[in-house]
């Protein structure tokens, strides 16, 4: 992917250098020839994938500040950045956790703008590849990417503007019902997933292959009842079975003294994620492609300096009630830092305040799940980010079986995840609460928690510093900027 992105830069520079149009041009050839070639098709796709990696100004799925990841993670119960008594950190993050967001909030506007820029880029790629009669697998890949952006949009915002051709102005894009966009997503996936490459890793590391496509389809079916009112548990199981046929397995969780967090399990969150479990990842190399700030953003300055060689930002914490649910023998508990730490820092589990006057400098449990991989510096680390991995597939299979009334069939799936974490198998068949908790233990800080809380009817309940809220908070508001740009849009109820 880095090579593909480099190719885009080279082509862009070449195009910019051609200013004397009367001369013969030797560095260009017709689009229908270029995008129809294997390299040209990859350039079109790389333009779409370049939107996924996290970067500044709210761009990307995960990796930097003030974008999709922050919107969806801080609005859950798994993490929060409190305002500090030292004056650090904007109140937006604490307000997300407290579910007090407004249509004018920066993070909401950033997420909306990023997703619609991504839809536009995907539409462009699909048009370029279709006009050039490119390989059908490449056209299918672009369509799956576009469907993925629309999936993220309906998950956050419900009824959204929908368009598949860029020949329309923003003020004329119609707002489409969530169910209708859901139907479009399912149709695009069922028509295109089997056309995707079956290659795992290599040039398809960080790209939608067939197995990533079926994982995406499984996630859509998993949340179908939320989106449409009709459950699709059986369909979700069938999509999960397709992924399993791709040969995935859980990565080992053995003790590893050479790993900074003490277990091979944490290789899943380092540099170049292992192919046995990783299904879809964001490729990151700090200061070159994207970024990953999550451990650096969490650590206190002195603790970061002692632990990783540069100062942390003293930001993100893990709420105590979330941490307390972990079993003391769970290897996944090792990602949390509480009590006395390197650098003479002592983190307290209790937090006095999130916003007024805010938390003390060392209040709050910290997280080193993404322990910085080199190259790294004070602005980020090179850890790749797992969008989808096989542990999620197993937990989806467990959940769907329980919801279909087959707890005995669900047990082996959840037990695999528990045993890998150093825990015993469940004594009996799992309940939905068992599965909800296990998803929280396994997938925390990976962008799934808000969606899970909504599906399990937990999202509006009180927790920590947060009172119970109305059901309208299950959707974010349409940003004020979008309403101003398109008078035809209708704001979500409650805002």
């Amino acid at each position: 992917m880095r090579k593909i992105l480099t190719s885009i830069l080279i082509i862009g520079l070449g195009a910019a250098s051609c200013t004397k149009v009367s001369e013969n041009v030797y560095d260009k050839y017709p689009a229908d020839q270029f995008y129809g070639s294997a390299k040209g098709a990859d350039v079109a796709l790389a333009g779409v994938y370049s939107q996924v990696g996290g970067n500044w100004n709210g761009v990307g799925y995960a990796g930097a500040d003030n974008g999709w990841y922050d919107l969806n993670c801080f609005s859950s119960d798994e993490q929060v950045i409190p305002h500090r008594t030292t004056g650090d950190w904007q109140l937006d993050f604490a307000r997300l956790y407290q579910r007090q967001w407004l249509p004018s909030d920066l993070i909401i506007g950033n997420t909306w703008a990023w997703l619609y820029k991504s839809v536009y880029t995907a539409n462009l790629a699909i048009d370029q590849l279709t006009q050039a009669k490119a390989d059908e697998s490449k056209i299918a890949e672009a369509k799956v990417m576009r469907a993925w952006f629309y999936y993220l949009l309906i998950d956050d915002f419900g009824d959204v503007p929908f368009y598949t051709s860029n020949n329309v102005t923003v003020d004329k894009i119609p707002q489409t019902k969530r169910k209708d966009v859901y139907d479009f997503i399912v149709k695009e996936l069922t028509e295109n997933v089997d056309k995707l490459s079956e290659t795992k890793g290599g040039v398809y590391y960080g790209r939608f292959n067939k197995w990533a496509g079926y994982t995406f389809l499984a996630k859509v079916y998993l949340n179908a009842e939320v989106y449409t009112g009709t459950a699709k548990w059986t369909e979700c199981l069938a999509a999960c079975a397709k992924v399993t046929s791709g040969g995935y397995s859980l990565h080992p969780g053995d003790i590893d003294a050479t790993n900074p967090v003490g277990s091979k399990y944490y290789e899943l969150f380092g540099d170049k994620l292992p192919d046995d479990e990783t299904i879809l990842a964001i490729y990151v190399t700090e200061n070159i492609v994207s970024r990953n700030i999550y451990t650096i953003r969490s650590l206190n300055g002195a603790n970061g300096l002692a632990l990783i060689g540069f100062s942390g930002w003293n930001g993100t914490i893990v709420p105590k009630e979330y941490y307390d649910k972990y079993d003391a023998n769970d290897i996944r508990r090792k990602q949390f830092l509480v009590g006395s730490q390197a650098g003479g820092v002592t983190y307290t589990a209790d937090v006095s305040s999130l916003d007024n006057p805010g938390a003390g400098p060392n209040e709050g449990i910290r997280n080193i799940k993404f322990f910085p991989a080199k190259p790294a510096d004070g602005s980020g680390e090179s850890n790749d980010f797992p969008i989808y991995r096989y542990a999620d597939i197993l937990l989806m299979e467990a959940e769907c079986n329980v919801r279909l009334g087959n707890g005995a069939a669900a047990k082996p799936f959840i037990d695999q995840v528990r045993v890998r974490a150093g825990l015993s198998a469940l004594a009996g068949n799992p309940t939905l609460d068992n599965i909800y908790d296990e998803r929280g233990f396994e997938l925390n800080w990976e962008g799934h928690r808000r969606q899970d809380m909504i599906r399990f009817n937990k999202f509006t309940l009180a927790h920590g510093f947060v009172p119970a809220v109305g059901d309208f908070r299950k959707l974010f508001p349409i940003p004020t900027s979008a309403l101003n740009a398109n008078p035809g849009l209708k704001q979500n109820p409650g805002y």
Side-chain angles (χ1 to χ4, degrees):
M1 186 57 65
R2 180 167 54 185
K3 292 178 180 178
I4 295 171
L5 293 172
T6 302
S7 297
I8 293 177
L9 178 61
I10 292 170
I11 291 166
L13 290 172
S17 67
C18 298
T19 57
K20 297 182 179 180
V21 295
S22 61
E23 296 181 359
N24 292 328
V25 177
Y26 298 101
D27 64 342
K28 295 182 179 180
Y29 54 101
D32 62 344
Q33 295 179 31
F34 178 69
Y35 293 114
S37 68
K39 289 185 178 180
D42 281 342
V43 167
L45 287 169
V48 185
Y49 281 109
S50 67
Q51 304 301 317
V52 179
N55 223 316
W56 305 127
N57 301 316
V59 173
Y61 179 83
D65 278 321
N66 291 301
W68 183 93
Y69 180 93
D70 287 356
L71 184 64
N72 285 271
C73 293
F74 291 140
S75 56
S76 77
D77 63 349
E78 68 177 5
Q79 59 178 294
V80 60
I81 298 180
H83 178 65
R84 297 282 177 184
T85 54
T86 52
D88 299 320
W89 293 102
Q90 66 205 64
L91 287 170
D92 298 40
F93 299 114
R95 289 177 51 251
L96 276 176
Y97 183 80
Q98 295 165 319
R99 293 172 291 187
Q100 296 174 355
W101 52 77
L102 299 170
S104 57
D105 284 354
L106 172 71
I107 299 174
I108 290 174
N110 283 348
T111 300
W112 180 278
W114 165 64
L115 284 169
Y116 274 105
K117 179 182 179 184
S118 300
V119 168
Y120 181 93
T121 306
N123 283 343
L124 178 62
I126 292 166
D127 183 63
Q128 290 169 334
L129 295 170
T130 302
Q131 292 294 327
K133 296 181 173 58
D135 186 278
E136 68 172 359
S137 68
K138 303 298 176 71
I139 300 173
E141 194 172 349
K143 288 183 175 180
V144 168
M145 284 294 294
R146 179 176 63 187
W148 188 66
F149 296 130
Y150 272 123
Y151 155 74
L152 297 178
L153 277 163
I154 66 168
D155 189 71
D156 278 351
F157 298 104
D159 299 347
V160 296
F162 176 78
Y163 71 115
T164 58
S165 172
N166 291 342
N167 294 325
V168 60
T169 57
V170 171
D171 60 316
K172 296 295 192 296
I173 301 174
Q175 189 170 13
T176 304
K177 291 293 184 183
R178 195 186 210 184
K179 182 184 182 303
D180 293 338
V181 182
Y182 164 90
D183 289 340
F184 168 82
I185 293 166
V186 171
K187 183 174 184 292
E188 288 285 272
L189 290 177
T190 53
E191 289 180 354
N192 289 289
V193 167
D194 283 326
K195 298 175 184 178
L196 300 178
S197 172
E198 294 187 0
T199 302
K200 293 166 60 178
V203 296
Y204 278 90
Y205 180 80
R207 290 173 62 176
F208 270 99
N209 59 14
K210 180 177 178 179
W211 321 117
Y214 271 112
T215 303
F216 170 22
L217 181 59
K219 298 292 277 191
V220 173
Y221 283 140
L222 185 72
N223 295 283
E225 190 171 23
V226 174
Y227 303 148
T228 71
T230 301
K232 296 287 184 180
W233 311 121
T234 301
E235 291 83 351
C236 180
L237 282 173
C240 288
K242 288 283 191 179
V243 179
T244 299
S245 73
Y248 291 93
S249 61
L250 292 181
H251 192 66
D254 302 342
I255 295 172
D256 181 2
T258 66
N259 186 283
V261 197
S263 169
K264 289 186 177 297
Y265 173 75
Y266 290 95
E267 294 172 352
L268 289 164
F269 316 107
D271 193 17
K272 181 57 178 72
L273 309 185
D275 291 335
D276 52 358
E277 182 169 343
T278 306
I279 299 171
L280 182 64
I282 299 175
Y283 173 81
V284 176
T285 294
E286 173 64 3
N287 294 322
I288 297 176
V289 181
S290 188
R291 66 189 65 251
N292 185 320
I293 65 171
Y294 299 128
T295 289
I296 291 170
R297 186 166 67 171
S298 186
L299 294 177
N300 170 286
N303 182 217
L305 194 62
L307 198 62
I308 58 180
F310 41 86
S311 180
W313 301 0
N314 200 35
T316 318
I317 64 169
V318 178
K320 182 177 183 296
E321 66 175 1
Y322 195 92
Y323 168 81
D324 284 344
K325 289 183 178 181
Y326 281 80
D327 189 287
N329 297 318
D330 194 327
I331 63 172
R332 299 167 298 192
R333 200 170 188 253
K334 295 180 181 295
Q335 69 193 271
F336 305 116
L337 301 183
V338 62
S340 180
Q341 304 297 325
V345 173
T346 299
Y347 296 130
T348 64
D350 292 318
V351 177
S352 57
S353 168
L354 290 183
D355 55 0
N356 186 19
N362 294 328
E363 290 184 348
I365 300 162
R366 311 309 165 99
N367 190 315
I368 55 171
K369 185 172 191 172
F370 297 95
F371 194 92
K374 295 179 180 179
D377 57 32
S379 66
E381 58 214 61
S382 294
N383 302 62
D384 293 353
F385 186 90
I387 297 175
Y388 297 136
R389 56 188 181 91
Y390 188 60
D392 194 2
I393 293 292
L394 293 174
L395 293 172
M396 283 194 276
E397 290 177 300
E399 179 180 342
C400 290
N401 274 296
V402 170
R403 292 188 185 275
L404 290 168
N406 197 348
K411 190 175 185 301
F413 296 117
I414 190 172
D415 282 348
Q416 288 182 61
V417 178
R418 288 177 56 83
V419 170
R420 193 263 298 269
L423 304 175
S424 60
L426 290 172
N429 291 338
T431 65
L432 284 178
D433 281 342
N434 292 143
I435 293 164
Y436 175 72
D437 287 342
E438 198 63 40
R439 288 188 65 82
F441 300 146
E442 180 64 31
L443 300 170
N444 75 306
W445 284 41
E446 294 180 48
H448 304 283
R449 185 64 172 177
R450 170 186 165 271
Q451 190 181 78
D452 289 349
M453 293 182 77
I454 292 171
R455 191 174 65 257
F456 281 87
N457 295 314
K458 308 284 190 184
F459 188 75
T460 60
L461 304 180
H463 62 82
F465 289 90
V466 184
V469 294
D471 282 350
F472 76 93
R473 290 286 182 184
K474 293 179 182 179
L475 288 176
F476 295 113
I478 306 296
T480 301
S481 57
L483 295 172
N484 291 338
N486 187 347
L489 299 185
K490 183 179 179 181
Q491 181 59 278
N492 286 327
Y495 295 104

